[in-house]
Amino acid sequence: MGVMPLTDMPWWRWRTNVRSALHMLSDPVFHHECWLAGREGYGDVTDAVYRLVEDTWLDNWSAEKYVGTIFRDSAEATAVDTAALRVLRIMHQVGADAPVSAYLEHHGWPEAVRAAREAHVMLATNDAEDPDIPPRSLDVIRIMTRAA
């Protein structure tokens, strides 16, 4: 399958939120420059995890359920499932209200970041977008998901 624009997916707004969360979770420079620094407009780790799972319920069932609506194929679904499970496991261990540093210092964090990066790169590439641009602010994501 060739690359396609994000809005070609039926539930592209949900895809936008999942991609945004994966992007933030997958970028160690972002973690330090935004989350650890307390930069406004990007939420925190818990916010990113919630955006990853809130509309999709990926904390309750597989992303495979959304192939054709949010995810293009089983490869995307598998990559997203892997990332979601890794970050959820850490969130449950450190607590949803834990400071950013607790996540970043967790022994499983590097693997969660790697899994999020793999999923982020796959989804961004399949949407014909550069996976290496900095994550967008939450205000930009809101504007994007309101535009039709």
Side-chain angles (χ1 to χ4, degrees):
M1 176 182 294
V3 292
M4 297 180 204
L6 170 67
T7 57
D8 73 324
M9 297 301 298
W11 297 354
W12 66 269
R13 288 174 177 86
W14 289 11
R15 183 177 176 93
T16 300
N17 285 324
V18 167
R19 282 198 41 211
S20 170
L22 289 169
H23 195 172
M24 289 180 184
L25 291 163
S26 73
D27 187 342
V29 172
F30 172 84
H31 300 162
H32 291 280
E33 292 179 357
C34 291
W35 284 343
L36 274 175
R39 190 168 162 199
E40 295 288 322
Y42 292 90
D44 60 14
V45 178
T46 303
D47 174 69
V49 175
Y50 287 154
R51 272 185 292 116
L52 179 61
V53 302
E54 73 179 330
D55 288 330
T56 59
W57 288 51
L58 294 178
D59 52 342
N60 291 308
W61 53 61
S62 172
E64 188 71 31
K65 178 179 182 99
Y66 298 108
V67 169
T69 56
I70 299 174
F71 307 113
R72 296 186 187 284
D73 54 33
S74 290
E76 283 189 357
T78 298
V80 170
D81 274 340
T82 300
L85 291 174
R86 291 206 179 14
V87 297
L88 283 168
R89 184 177 304 124
I90 294 168
M91 188 174 88
H92 291 142
Q93 289 174 0
V94 302
D97 294 329
V100 172
S101 59
Y103 286 90
L104 275 55
E105 294 166 2
H106 189 278
H107 65 87
W109 189 250
E111 182 57 29
V113 169
R114 186 206 58 75
R117 174 71 182 169
E118 183 177 307
H120 162 65
V121 167
M122 183 180 296
L123 272 65
T125 302
N126 288 346
D127 290 341
E129 292 187 9
D130 180 358
D132 295 321
I133 61 169
R136 295 175 175 109
S137 72
L138 297 179
D139 286 340
V140 170
I141 297 300
R142 278 195 257 333
I143 291 166
M144 288 174 59
T145 56
R146 276 189 273 200

